[in-house]
Amino acid sequence: MAKKYVALLRGINVGGKNKVPMTELRETLEEGGYESVRTYIQSGNVLFESPRPRSEIEEHIEGLLEARFGIPLLVVVRSHSQMRKTVERAPEGFGTKPDLYYSDALFLKAPLTSKQVMDVVEIREGVDAAWPGDGVVYFQRLGAERTKSKLNRIASTPEYKLITIRSWATTTKLLEMLEKA
C-alpha cells in the first residue's frame, strides 16, 4: 500500500543555480514509479505516494535526479506522520508570531542528528534561538535583528551538507497538503 511522503530537495532554483523545472521534476519522479506527484513552489518540495520503504526513497530519488539533471542533489524525505510530528512537536509558540520572528525548520538527513547540529549551530543572544527535534532543528530569529543572526554560519560547517532548510510557513503548508491528499 502506498504511503504519503514529501521530498525536500536542497539548493535548487536558488540564485539561478541548479535550475530544475518543476514539470521535469514531477515527470522524473513519475517515471521513477512514484504516484500522485505534486510540487509546491519552486524550491524543491515534492509530495508523492509510494509503496517503497522510506529508507530506500532518498537514495533512489537522488539517483533519478542526478541522472536527469546532471547535478548531485541532497534529498531529505519525510513521511506524512513524520511531518505531522515535526509540526506537533515544535517548541511552544514556535512560528506563531511571523511579524516578530523568522522561524525555520532545518531538516536533517541521517545519519546527521539534531544533537550534532546543536553542537555547531551558533546563537546570537537576543537574536537567535534553536531547539533540537527528531530529525529537525527548529531555528528562530528576531525579525528586526535578522541581519545579526548567526544562522548563515552553519553553511560553513560539514554538517550543512546534510541539511535543507524550510520556512515554518512552508513546513506547515506541506503538512496541510499531505493531510488533504
Side-chain angles (χ1 to χ4, degrees):
M1 182 176 176
K3 286 186 174 182
K4 297 182 208 176
Y5 296 97
V6 61
L8 308 168
L9 284 60
R10 186 175 128 210
I12 68 163
N13 301 333
V14 177
K17 294 183 179 176
N18 297 337
K19 289 193 175 198
V20 175
M22 295 301 101
T23 304
E24 291 182 38
L25 178 57
R26 284 189 299 273
E27 287 171 0
T28 302
L29 268 71
E30 287 167 353
E31 290 165 3
Y34 297 97
E35 304 162 6
S36 303
V37 179
R38 300 174 291 150
T39 56
Y40 175 68
I41 62 179
Q42 299 292 312
S43 58
N45 305 294
V46 187
L47 300 110
F48 60 92
E49 294 180 13
S50 176
R52 290 176 187 261
R54 192 186 73 78
S55 60
E56 296 175 9
I57 294 174
E58 287 175 337
E59 190 174 307
H60 185 247
I61 292 175
E62 286 175 344
L64 290 172
L65 297 176
E66 187 166 2
R68 174 81 177 249
F69 300 106
I71 45 177
L73 295 169
L74 176 80
V75 176
V76 176
V77 173
R78 294 293 184 262
S79 69
H80 181 188
S81 63
Q82 287 175 311
M83 284 298 282
R84 186 181 308 115
K85 287 176 187 172
T86 295
V87 171
E88 289 174 351
R89 295 179 181 173
E92 188 171 337
F94 186 81
T96 61
K97 298 179 182 174
D99 293 338
L100 186 58
Y101 296 104
Y102 284 78
S103 302
D104 296 303
L106 285 64
F107 288 94
L108 316 178
K109 182 171 180 165
L112 185 63
T113 66
S114 57
K115 182 191 178 322
Q116 290 171 295
V117 174
M118 292 300 291
D119 287 344
V120 299
V121 73
E122 293 184 44
I123 303 293
R124 183 177 299 271
E125 191 69 35
V127 177
D128 299 322
W131 301 267
D134 186 11
V136 66
V137 169
Y138 303 93
F139 197 97
Q140 184 170 275
R141 23 196 219 293
L142 187 61
E145 301 287 330
R146 70 186 176 279
T147 58
K148 296 178 182 176
S149 173
K150 292 189 174 186
L151 175 61
N152 63 353
R153 292 194 180 175
I154 200 163
S156 63
T157 68
E159 290 79 4
Y160 185 66
K161 292 176 181 152
L162 295 175
I163 296 173
T164 187
I165 302 173
R166 294 298 181 277
S167 72
W168 193 244
T170 296
T171 301
T172 56
K173 179 65 177 178
L174 290 169
L175 176 60
E176 179 186 317
M177 293 173 73
L178 286 167
E179 301 277 334
K180 289 181 179 177

